[in-house]
Amino acid sequence: MNCKICAHDVTKTLTHTVRTTHTAEYMLCPKCDFMFVSNPTWLAEAYSRPINITDTGYVMRNIFLSRKTLLLFALLFKNKGTFLDYAGGYGMLTRIMRDYGLNFLWDDPYTENLFSPGFEYTKGAHSTINAITCFECFEHFVDPLPEIEKMLHISNTILFSTVLKPVDICPPEQWEYYGFNHGQHTSFYSEKTFRCIAKKYNLHYYTDGNNLHLLTKKRELQGILTFVNILTKLQIDVFVRKLLRSKTTSDQVMLIKKGF
């Protein structure tokens, strides 16, 4: 079997039960360090509910990541432009970012847009997308490169989150990011993997060394995500929000006019 990132031969590194009844085989690439499930036959069952019921951090994660996104986009774009939350789930992040004052759109073919209806992304119908957010999605991609290419056709700046695996090591079975109970996580990356991906698409890769990452054409941003983490802890995002005009009321007026 070949690696889905670099096409190098891979080796089986772990076998484990998933969703109590299925046997998963985890493959590891010695070249790019990508680790993936080779036989996820249970995905229809796993995605009968798109957001798994044990994801109790869903709301808090969206709030916390929205604050970091606001700060980063203030640094990179002065919070001006149009942005897209790719694989945006129930639309919570899109709604929060619009409430902050940023022109955010939503896209997710598998999940109902509960929180930001009326602000769906339509290819060709919107102006340039300055950046994409894609939070807690990369580990769900069964075949990552086609998904990354879809995003790059929309924007060449992708801010995303996924927990890094240790370089050149299969994490122990106790690593909670495997998600054995729900079976939705099928792909796992290290910094080495993402640097390989960045090189493939002529991009620059930046990371906070944990779970926040940036693929972009922009240069000389080393340390920017660590800086954003520090600014978030200092609650600088509160001051940034005061400089913006929330879209909460204007969005309501527009939706009413459109007959929602």
Side-chain angles (χ1 to χ4, degrees), residues 1-10 27 29 34 36:
M1 180 173 286
N2 295 329
C3 176
K4 298 179 180 181
I5 302 297
C6 69
H8 194 278
D9 290 340
V10 298
M27 316 302 286
C29 177
F34 180 55
F36 63 97

Side-chain angles (χ1 to χ4, degrees), residues 5-6 31-32 145 148-149 152 191-206 214-217:
I5 302 297
C6 69
K31 184 178 180 181
C32 74
L145 293 187
I148 293 171
E149 289 169 7
L152 291 175
E191 286 192 36
K192 184 176 179 181
T193 316
F194 284 126
R195 296 196 188 284
C196 179
I197 293 171
K199 183 177 181 181
K200 181 179 181 66
Y201 295 108
N202 194 27
L203 299 169
H204 301 283
Y205 169 64
Y206 307 98
L214 183 67
L215 287 168
T216 182
K217 290 284 187 182

